[in-house]
Amino acid sequence: MTKKKESIFDFVLFKRLFQYIKPYNSIFVGLFVLVIFLAGLSAATPYLTKDAIDKGIALNKPDTFLIYVIIMFAVLILQTVFQLGFIYYAAWLGQNLVKDVRTKLFNHLLKFKMKYYDNSSVGVLITRSVTDMERIADIFGQGLFMIFRDILTMLVVFGVMVYTNWKLSLIVLLMLPVLLYATRIFQKYMKKAFEEVRTEVSNLNSFVQERITGMKILQLFTREDTEYKKFKEINERHKKGWLKTVWYNSFFFPIADLASSVTIGLVAWYGGLNVVEGSVTKGVLVAFIMFIPMLFRPLRQIADKFNTLQMGMVAATRVFKVLDTTSQIDDTGNIVANHFKGNIKFDNVHFSYVDNETVLKGISFNVKEGETVAIVGATGAGKSTIINLLSRFYEIKGGNIYIDNTNIKDVTLASLRTQIAVVLQDVFLFADTILNNITLNYPEITEAQVHQAAKDIGIHDFILSLPNGYHYNVKERGVMLSSGQRQLISFLRAYVTNPSILVLDEATSSVDSYSEQLIQNATEKITKGRTSIVIAHRLATVKKADKIIVMDSGNIVEQGTHHELLKKENGYYKNLYEVQFLQEEVV
């Protein structure tokens, strides 16, 4: 295991990443062809310079010299054209590959259980979906192909050097092991440094995202100074992580430059003596002085590009970790529900969010078609858990849930959730128009249908009173609307889908009296004729329910109508009514 962690290059990971290149095989092969041509053209220029000096200048043949100059110019043009194509298509391949991986990742995230998001940082997931993806694109745009080009250039250049003069090549060869060893050590430490950097980037993104989202709470409780100090600590760790990479770079690159300069000096000294003696031509000496930077510079660039490659591989590891996470609800049902009558049955249902901390302790109840059932109880009794399980956002630990005598596990997830509309207490609106927040961009729902639905539940005039009406942009999380207005939009969103079953989770809490009246009217309209489950908070909703289910600590302690439950001496509901609901009625 230790060896695998310390390996400089993860071939297993790269092989997996390579699978995404298959749709672009022609571009991939074309890039390798361009690399071969570029390597050959790089070595051609110094060699042509040698011949231009030895066969043109040395022999005093200006025409021959001019021919070589023209050839070198043509080589330069070709090299420029190939280089442009290489850089563009390497980046093109990287961006297309990342587009495919990002699409797969987002599709994977869409299918995760709610439990996964309960335990995950939004900032970290954003980093995986955005920042890490760009690092993966760099593997191909600035890493892999660049490294391959540099390695091939080094091999071609050294081959031409040996062919030109093996003695001078031997001097160059003596210095290469030093630089190769330094490069390997550099790569090893850089990998560790970049792993640390990516971790700190995720922490920084997560911290900033959460604090910006919760800025109102921070300011309400005057936590600005505390959070500022925490941010400074995280930012400091982030800085130190990056400074490690700078520190390693500051060591390696001067060593690489020094090795190149020393080699040029040795070749100039030894080659110069041989030029005097006549065993080496001036052209060969000039060519070698040109060759040496071409041999050492790619090695220096390989180390630099390896940094990019390492960052990409670290990012790919993190992205694939999310892709390998199996946290989906098992969608094995084969029944497509086009419509439910609305008969619901919970049969001895057990559930816990965390192991050994049971939330529902074997509850059983029935809801008949068209009934409105209210669920009441103290905070933490398990009320909201019931609606989460009905929509299969979580898997139950024991028992069964039926709709129209069909186990909901036998119904496809998409059709199940399409037939159940949920209005939550904490309404989430996207940074979009009211119309798009209502339809959620379903093409089947027309604007005319939305207008008619709004008139049906009595909120059409309210929407028209807003700037641009249905095309009013509510901004991120609907901040341009009050909580009551957001609630009304959520009611319309539920109603326009014409669901078979409606669930209202404390949908009338924390709103003003005017909005509450509109919501009560909307509630009466959208619950009429369809099965409805209401997590009750206000007295009016409870009193009108066909049945009230009273919960306490994960158990159903009472069931019945409002009047039936009030007749029970020392009943849980009666005590709740007298303590809470009667106070509201007095107010």
Side-chain angles (χ1 to χ4, degrees), residues 329-426:
I329 295 289
D330 294 329
D331 190 9
T332 56
N334 52 16
I335 298 174
V336 178
N338 295 316
H339 180 73
F340 288 133
K341 291 180 180 179
N343 294 296
I344 301 171
K345 179 181 179 181
F346 273 61
D347 182 19
N348 194 31
V349 174
H350 292 76
F351 176 76
S352 59
Y353 292 102
V354 180
D355 292 339
N356 301 319
E357 293 183 18
T358 305
V359 176
L360 297 183
K361 303 171 182 178
I363 67 168
S364 298
F365 66 88
N366 291 284
V367 181
K368 295 179 182 178
E369 175 186 348
E371 273 190 338
T372 296
V373 174
I375 303 177
V376 301
T379 301
K383 305 186 298 297
S384 296
T385 300
I386 289 176
I387 64 173
N388 285 331
L389 298 182
L390 184 63
S391 299
R392 289 198 71 197
F393 287 124
Y394 298 88
E395 294 281 24
I396 59 178
K397 304 297 182 182
N400 294 286
I401 302 174
Y402 301 93
I403 298 179
D404 296 346
N405 296 320
T406 300
N407 195 312
I408 60 173
K409 290 183 178 180
D410 297 329
V411 182
T412 61
L413 270 179
S415 64
L416 173 70
R417 292 173 180 172
T418 299
Q419 293 302 314
I420 301 174
V422 180
V423 178
L424 298 172
Q425 178 184 358
D426 184 19

Side-chain angles (χ1 to χ4, degrees), residues 451-472:
H451 287 193
Q452 185 58 50
K455 291 175 183 177
D456 290 343
I457 64 174
I459 65 171
H460 179 67
D461 292 338
F462 144 66
I463 296 175
L464 289 182
S465 68
L466 299 171
N468 299 321
Y470 287 87
H471 298 280
Y472 178 58

Side-chain angles (χ1 to χ4, degrees), residues 26-44:
S26 57
I27 297 296
F28 186 76
V29 173
L31 283 167
F32 274 101
V33 172
L34 283 174
V35 166
I36 294 170
F37 277 115
L38 284 170
L41 292 172
S42 296

Side-chain angles (χ1 to χ4, degrees), residues 1-8 188 191-192 195:
M1 291 294 293
T2 304
K3 286 184 178 178
K4 186 175 181 181
K5 285 183 180 179
E6 292 181 353
S7 61
I8 292 175
K188 179 181 178 181
K191 181 179 181 181
K192 293 180 180 178
E195 286 175 347

Side-chain angles (χ1 to χ4, degrees), residues 128-273:
R128 300 292 172 267
S129 304
V130 182
T131 310
D132 284 343
M133 287 297 178
E134 292 305 316
R135 300 290 77 79
I136 294 175
D138 290 341
I139 291 177
F140 297 94
Q142 301 178 29
L144 177 67
F145 290 111
M146 299 292 186
I147 291 173
F148 182 75
R149 181 197 63 184
D150 291 339
I151 291 174
L152 190 58
T153 299
M154 288 174 60
L155 292 174
V156 172
V157 166
F158 190 72
V160 175
M161 290 171 71
V162 173
Y163 174 77
T164 304
N165 190 296
W166 68 270
K167 291 182 180 179
L168 292 178
S169 300
L170 189 60
I171 295 175
V172 177
L173 188 61
L174 290 173
M175 190 59 68
L176 276 178
V178 176
L179 195 54
L180 286 171
Y181 178 75
T183 301
R184 182 170 178 81
I185 297 298
F186 172 73
Q187 292 167 348
K188 179 181 178 181
Y189 281 97
M190 284 301 288
K191 181 179 181 181
K192 293 180 180 178
F194 279 128
E195 286 175 347
E196 183 178 335
V197 166
R198 296 313 306 156
T199 298
E200 294 306 329
V201 167
S202 294
N203 292 339
L204 190 62
N205 285 346
S206 179
F207 185 89
V208 172
Q209 189 273 334
E210 288 182 350
R211 270 58 186 182
I212 290 176
T213 303
M215 188 60 69
K216 187 174 183 179
I217 297 298
L218 297 182
Q219 293 183 356
L220 280 172
F221 289 90
T222 62
R223 305 301 292 170
E224 294 93 335
D225 290 342
T226 302
E227 296 303 321
Y228 174 67
K229 290 175 182 177
K230 287 183 180 179
F231 179 78
K232 285 182 69 176
E233 292 174 4
I234 295 174
N235 204 25
E236 180 68 19
R237 293 200 303 268
H238 179 262
K239 180 203 74 175
K240 287 180 178 178
W242 272 111
L243 283 180
K244 281 187 180 180
T245 67
V246 175
W247 179 252
Y248 298 144
N249 281 326
S250 65
F251 262 100
F252 174 75
F253 292 117
I255 291 173
D257 291 337
L258 178 63
S260 177
S261 300
V262 169
T263 305
I264 290 174
L266 290 173
V267 168
W269 168 73
Y270 181 76
L273 293 177

Side-chain angles (χ1 to χ4, degrees), residues 397-566:
K397 304 297 182 182
N400 294 286
I401 302 174
Y402 301 93
I403 298 179
D404 296 346
N405 296 320
T406 300
N407 195 312
I408 60 173
K409 290 183 178 180
D410 297 329
V411 182
T412 61
L413 270 179
S415 64
L416 173 70
R417 292 173 180 172
T418 299
Q419 293 302 314
I420 301 174
V422 180
V423 178
L424 298 172
Q425 178 184 358
D426 184 19
V427 179
F428 187 94
L429 297 181
F430 296 93
D432 206 335
T433 63
I434 287 179
L435 179 64
N436 288 338
N437 269 290
I438 293 168
T439 66
L440 296 176
N441 295 306
Y442 276 115
E444 295 84 1
I445 303 175
T446 65
E447 185 169 353
Q449 289 175 313
V450 174
H451 287 193
Q452 185 58 50
K455 291 175 183 177
D456 290 343
I457 64 174
I459 65 171
H460 179 67
D461 292 338
F462 144 66
I463 296 175
L464 289 182
S465 68
L466 299 171
N468 299 321
Y470 287 87
H471 298 280
Y472 178 58
N473 193 312
V474 299
K475 305 300 181 183
E476 188 174 0
R477 301 182 66 88
V479 295
M480 302 304 291
L481 301 177
S482 69
S483 59
Q485 290 173 329
R486 290 196 296 271
Q487 199 67 263
L488 289 169
I489 298 301
S490 70
F491 266 81
L492 183 53
R493 180 161 62 191
Y495 180 67
V496 80
T497 61
N498 192 29
S500 302
I501 298 171
L502 179 69
V503 178
L504 306 178
D505 185 4
E506 307 221 19
T508 59
S509 62
S510 303
V511 298
D512 58 85
S513 57
Y514 173 73
S515 296
E516 182 183 356
Q517 185 58 50
L518 288 177
I519 289 172
Q520 290 293 347
N521 294 337
T523 301
E524 292 179 11
K525 178 66 179 180
I526 67 177
T527 57
K528 187 177 182 180
R530 60 167 57 88
T531 302
S532 303
I533 297 177
V534 181
I535 307 298
H537 182 76
R538 297 297 176 96
L539 176 61
T541 306
V542 176
K543 292 174 69 174
K544 292 179 181 179
D546 297 308
K547 181 167 61 176
I548 300 170
I549 296 174
V550 186
M551 296 191 66
D552 181 39
S553 301
N555 295 297
I556 295 177
V557 293
E558 293 176 351
Q559 292 190 57
T561 65
H562 174 69
H563 295 292
E564 289 172 348
L565 294 175
L566 285 180

